[in-house]
Amino acid sequence: MSLRTLAEQVLHKKRFALCGDGTTDEALFQLYRQLKAAGYRVYLVHPQQSELDGDPVYPSLDNIADPLDCVVIATSPEQALEIVRIAGHLKIPYLWLQPGSDTLAALNTARYFGSQAVIGYDLRELLQWRQQNLMAS
């Protein structure tokens, strides 16, 4: 399956965790709002936040009780690898490694755990493109 096909498949899922670590907070918060506005159920994971827009923020991925379809990782490469490991133990089927988080080590770890990983696509840009195409049709 091509990465583009995988990315489109993931966009049809509904429950996402969005993980950040303080390196790109404004972009992370923008993506959170974008996913919510597009109708996704989104759980924000961030070690330095307790809430965003009145929604709870979780300190770790394994603090989320609901089942997840995909984990979006927008962290430093070192933190991304740890999140991939946790997601693997939680048996989350899809990972989306945002540019900057998409290292070979993270990708290989995702494969080890049987997760499919989207790399090379910025989720924010793909959501914008998808929204524009929906409005045009």
Side-chain angles (χ1 to χ4, degrees):
M1 172 182 320
S2 74
L3 279 174
R4 180 63 179 210
T5 302
L6 178 61
E8 288 293 331
Q9 184 176 339
V10 170
L11 287 176
H12 285 92
K13 303 300 177 187
K14 289 295 174 198
R15 296 177 313 253
F16 286 72
L18 180 55
C19 300
D21 65 359
T23 56
T24 57
D25 284 349
E26 197 49 49
L28 178 77
F29 301 155
Q30 177 187 3
L31 179 56
Y32 176 79
R33 291 176 182 118
Q34 210 176 344
L35 283 165
K36 281 189 67 173
Y40 294 95
R41 177 72 177 127
V42 188
Y43 302 86
L44 186 59
V45 177
H46 195 286
Q48 300 162 349
Q49 290 284 127
S50 60
E51 65 91 21
L52 179 67
D53 299 340
D55 296 332
V57 175
Y58 298 86
S60 176
L61 190 58
D62 51 5
N63 292 116
I64 300 170
D66 295 336
L68 296 169
D69 297 315
C70 180
V71 175
V72 179
I73 303 171
T75 65
S76 65
E78 300 79 21
Q79 188 63 31
L81 186 56
E82 181 58 25
I83 293 168
V84 170
R85 286 186 186 118
I86 294 169
H89 287 293
L90 295 172
K91 302 198 181 327
I92 297 169
Y94 298 101
L95 303 174
W96 193 299
L97 296 159
Q98 285 288 91
S101 298
D102 54 352
T103 64
L104 184 58
L107 181 59
N108 286 338
T109 302
R111 288 179 178 154
Y112 171 79
F113 283 105
S115 298
Q116 295 186 56
V118 176
I119 60 170
Y121 287 102
D122 186 324
L123 181 55
R124 290 172 301 163
E125 292 173 6
L126 202 55
L127 283 171
Q128 287 172 347
W129 176 85
R130 188 173 187 219
Q131 188 65 28
Q132 289 168 351
N133 284 337
L134 288 175
M135 290 190 314
S137 51

